[in-house]
Every structure is written in C-alpha cells, then in structure tokens.
Amino acid sequence: MDYRRVVIKVGTSTLTDETGALDRVYIASLAMQCAAEHRSGSDMVLVSSGAIRAGTEQWENYVGQPAAPLSRATIPFKQAMAAIGQPLLMQAYLAAFGAYDLPVAQVLLTREDFGERHRFLHARNTLQQLLKMGVVPVINENDTVATEEIRFGDNDTLAAMVASLLDADLLILLSDVEGLYERDERGRYTRLVREVHRLDESIWRMAQGSGSRVGTGGMITKLQAAQIATTSGVTMVIAHGRHEGIIHHICRGRDFVGTVFHPQPRKLCHRKRWLAYGLPASGAIMVNEGAKQRIVADGKSLLPAGVLSCEGHFLPQQVVELRDESGRVFARGFTNYSSEEVARIAGCQTAQIEQRLGFKRADEIIHRDNLVLVYSAS
Ligand code: GLU
C-alpha cells in the first residue's frame, strides 16, 4: 500500500493509564511508528485526545484530592482541565518525537474553522506548510474556547474533517476497541466486521448504544467519521491502539485486526464536503416521499411541490437540512428561498411561485448542484 498522507487519531483511553496520567511508554511507541512511516515518505498527522483527562490528573495532584468524575463535571471545569492538559500532551509528544528528530507542531481547531471558508483555507494552508516542512502536526479541538452548541466534542469527527481537508489517503482511528462488531438480537457482540464497502442501515444499527469508558466518542461517532472520510476519498480504519506495530501493519497493508472502511466510488468535491459537514444548518425543510426519492435516487432538485413545511429561520443562500416524513435528515443544501417564502410556496407548482410571492428567484427551492446527500442515524 502506498499511503502518501496519513492521519492518525488516538483516543483518550488509549493515551492515558487508569489514573488518567499520560502513558509515556505508549506515546514513545506511537512516535516510533510514526517516525518509521515518515521516513518512508508519508506525511503524518496526529489528532490527539487526552488533554482533559491528563489535565484532571495533574489538577488532582495539585490539590491532593480526586475531582468529581468527568461525566458529571461542568463544561467550564472540563475547559479548564483541557487548558492544563494540552501543554502536558505537547510536552509528551515533543519528547517522544524528538527522540527521532521529528519536529511536532500544535494545531488547535474548532468547528468554526471548518464552517467559514477563509478560516478553512487558512487552516489548510498552515497544515500544508507544516507537512511540506516535514513537521508532524498534532491536532486537538480547541476545547478552552469551543462553545458547547457547536463543539465537535469528540475527536473522531475532528480527525475525519482534518483527513478530508488535507485530502489524506488514510485515516486511522486508534481506540480501545478492535473495530466494528456485528451484534446478535440481544445486543451481544458476535463477529468483528473486517471490511465495509457501504455505510448502509445495517452498519449503523451495529453501532447503536456503544460507548467508550473515558473518551467521548463511541461507535456512532466513528461511523460519522467514516461517512466524512469515505465520501472524501479517504480509506478509514478502526483498530485497537495497543496492538504492537499496528500503524505499521495498517500502513503496509499487512494483515491486522480491525475494520477497514473503503472510500466511496464517487468522491465529493471540497465545496460539497463543506456543505455536507462544515457548515451548521440554519433550518430544515420537510419534504414528501416522492420528492425525497427524486433527490436521492435520481439526483434531482427540490421543487416547491415536494415541500410539506419548514422549521427554523433561514435566509436565501443559507444551509438547510432536508428531512423526510419521518423527520430524518437525508440531505443538505443552499436554499434559494427564505423560511418565510418556503412556507408560502410549500406544495405549489413551479408556475405558481410568482403568483404566491410576487416574484420568482428560481424554479427550484434548492438546485441539485447545491444539494448533497447525508446520512443520519434515526
Ligand atoms: N478534546 C478532548 C481532549 O483532548 C477529547 C475529545 C475526545 O474524547 O475525543 O481531552
């Protein structure tokens, strides 16, 4: 296998020991493996969790008593712990990669960095520059400033957005699970799924109800990451981070235990990826089954006739979600009409738009060039 650019996400439970302290022996092995791939010519990017937990452990040492469990901690407390933990994380990476003369750089990102075009381009340019200089960027969410409503919250999604932004070839999610498991009717894990070619309903069902003990992600967030990665042309692998030489095995296409998600045959262009995953939606339009079918199966535009109602307040050119009759989001697009206008033309024929509004901006509420299909678990 020839993976030119590799993004590796390491979860909190993989990076820290049972007390919450950073596991420096593990970080050293991570650096050794990354350095080997780097020497063979691959750009390496690390997306690292662990700041909040390592910060908490440090704080507990300062005050000499245990903090409340993180699952019950307030957001400001976690943000403060991230601020304490992030330099510890970087200190550990500097030392570990330094042993291989490999420079590292800290890059902290928020969701807004992916939503606004100029910030998105800035982030991409900086990362490209670092890679060109042979540096390994170590990325985390900027937890201390990320606002609750829009934070990624889990680094699985962030890592997939980074892999997409950088047009990486491979994204590896190193976790405390081996991969995606099939489950029986009682919800018990049965068999490890080795390869996924299409993220269909049966795959999403396998992920329901799974979670991690100390990190924030579960299998759902990993599948969301797989959706972003595979529609961006990136191969994604979930594997247990503690298996010896796991990065090497995956990068060299050797036999390893884990789940591989293959890229979708039709990769989305950057504009559509940005529409699908980068921008927050300002509202939603509910459509009937016929309109959904025409959009999903035939790649058609959304016309007023298929609209049932709308939700939220949005203006022309803003991003809206399309929901089907069961309320499930299946697409996103840039609307030609505001929420108020959509409410007035809902269900009418295209020829009636002008009569209802006194003007016509376009025949379509959303043109197919401005629509992208997305999957959401029900
Ligand atoms: N950004 C969080 C941290 O560094 C981790 C989020 C996650 O668990 O994925 O602690």
Side-chain angles (χ1 to χ4, degrees):
M1 289 289 154
D2 186 16
Y3 295 116
R4 216 177 16 89
R5 185 165 284 178
V6 183
V7 177
I8 300 173
K9 183 255 167 176
V10 205
T12 300
S13 52
T14 309
L15 280 171
T16 55
D17 65 19
E18 55 293 335
T19 68
L22 290 171
D23 183 342
R24 285 164 206 276
V25 175
Y26 179 74
I27 292 176
S29 86
L30 197 64
M32 183 182 73
Q33 295 182 67
C34 286
E37 296 315 312
H38 192 265
R39 264 197 310 277
S40 334
S42 301
D43 291 338
M44 302 302 284
V45 178
L46 215 55
V47 176
S48 176
S49 303
I52 296 177
R53 194 155 149 81
T56 309
E57 195 261 352
Q58 176 89 336
W59 180 246
E60 289 172 334
N61 286 340
Y62 285 137
V63 295
Q65 61 183 46
L70 280 174
S71 53
R72 287 200 270 117
T74 61
I75 303 289
F77 180 81
K78 286 193 215 168
Q79 291 182 305
M81 292 307 113
I84 294 175
Q86 186 60 32
L88 297 175
L89 208 56
M90 287 314 296
Q91 197 178 42
Y93 284 122
L94 271 170
F97 282 81
Y100 300 93
D101 291 327
L102 202 50
V104 293
Q106 168 181 275
V107 180
L108 300 176
L109 298 170
T110 58
R111 196 177 261 286
E112 283 114 321
D113 296 318
F114 293 89
E116 286 173 33
R117 187 126 185 97
H118 70 280
R119 288 171 72 159
F120 167 91
L121 292 175
H122 274 307
R124 189 164 64 177
N125 287 346
T126 308
L127 288 166
Q128 304 271 29
Q129 178 68 36
L130 287 167
L131 293 174
K132 207 159 79 188
M133 297 187 320
V135 177
V136 176
V138 179
I139 301 175
N140 197 355
E141 180 160 16
N142 197 351
D143 290 310
T144 51
V145 298
T147 30
E148 181 55 15
E149 305 75 56
I150 52 140
R151 56 194 290 265
F152 283 111
D154 67 88
N155 279 357
D156 297 329
T157 317
L158 172 64
M161 296 287 279
V162 166
S164 165
L165 175 85
L166 290 175
D167 283 311
D169 305 289
L170 176 65
L171 166 65
I172 305 176
L173 302 185
L174 292 180
S175 172
D176 56 358
V177 293
E178 305 279 3
L180 176 69
Y181 276 88
E182 274 181 11
R183 298 206 275 177
D184 64 15
E185 56 293 338
R186 293 221 219 129
R188 286 176 309 205
Y189 295 115
T190 50
R191 195 181 62 90
L192 179 69
V193 180
R194 303 302 292 264
E195 283 188 278
V196 175
H197 290 274
R198 240 170 61 84
L199 280 166
D200 58 22
E201 199 66 38
S202 67
I203 301 290
W204 287 92
R205 261 200 307 273
M206 291 178 199
Q208 306 290 335
S210 57
S212 156
R213 206 167 40 84
V214 289
T216 49
M219 202 42 77
I220 287 281
T221 63
K222 291 187 175 44
L223 291 190
Q224 283 162 348
Q227 188 182 25
I228 297 171
T230 59
T231 53
S232 305
V234 183
T235 301
M236 189 183 104
V237 173
I238 304 174
H240 199 296
R242 296 271 169 175
H243 285 315
E244 195 153 340
I246 185 73
I247 296 175
H248 187 70
H249 283 87
I250 297 171
C251 289
R252 301 298 157 97
R254 304 236 174 96
D255 197 26
F256 65 90
V257 179
T259 306
V260 182
F261 295 81
H262 294 281
Q264 295 308 297
R266 281 178 48 208
K267 150 170 162 181
L268 294 175
C269 63
H270 272 285
R271 183 173 165 276
K272 289 225 168 169
R273 289 185 221 170
W274 184 54
L275 172 60
Y277 313 120
L279 292 168
S282 306
I285 298 178
M286 270 54 79
V287 310
N288 64 28
E289 197 48 37
K292 177 182 174 182
Q293 280 317 313
R294 279 189 295 280
I295 291 168
V296 174
D298 310 330
K300 296 276 197 244
S301 302
L302 174 66
L303 300 176
V307 174
L308 298 170
S309 59
C310 64
E311 226 177 67
H313 179 73
F314 52 85
L315 298 170
Q317 298 318 316
Q318 287 191 320
V319 176
V320 292
E321 290 175 341
L322 295 194
R323 294 180 189 270
D324 64 16
E325 290 176 22
S326 69
R328 191 152 159 180
V329 178
F330 67 93
R332 290 161 68 97
F334 290 111
T335 173
N336 287 323
Y337 292 93
S338 70
S339 41
E340 202 197 304
E341 291 159 354
V342 171
R344 279 163 53 202
I345 56 177
C348 82
Q349 294 304 311
T350 304
Q352 295 174 291
I353 297 178
E354 196 158 355
Q355 185 192 330
R356 295 228 184 157
L357 295 180
F359 65 91
K360 184 170 81 173
R361 212 172 279 125
D363 283 350
E364 312 82 13
I365 290 188
I366 305 179
H367 191 272
R368 61 197 158 101
D369 290 348
N370 293 326
L371 256 177
V372 60
L373 300 181
V374 294
Y375 183 91
S376 69
S378 52

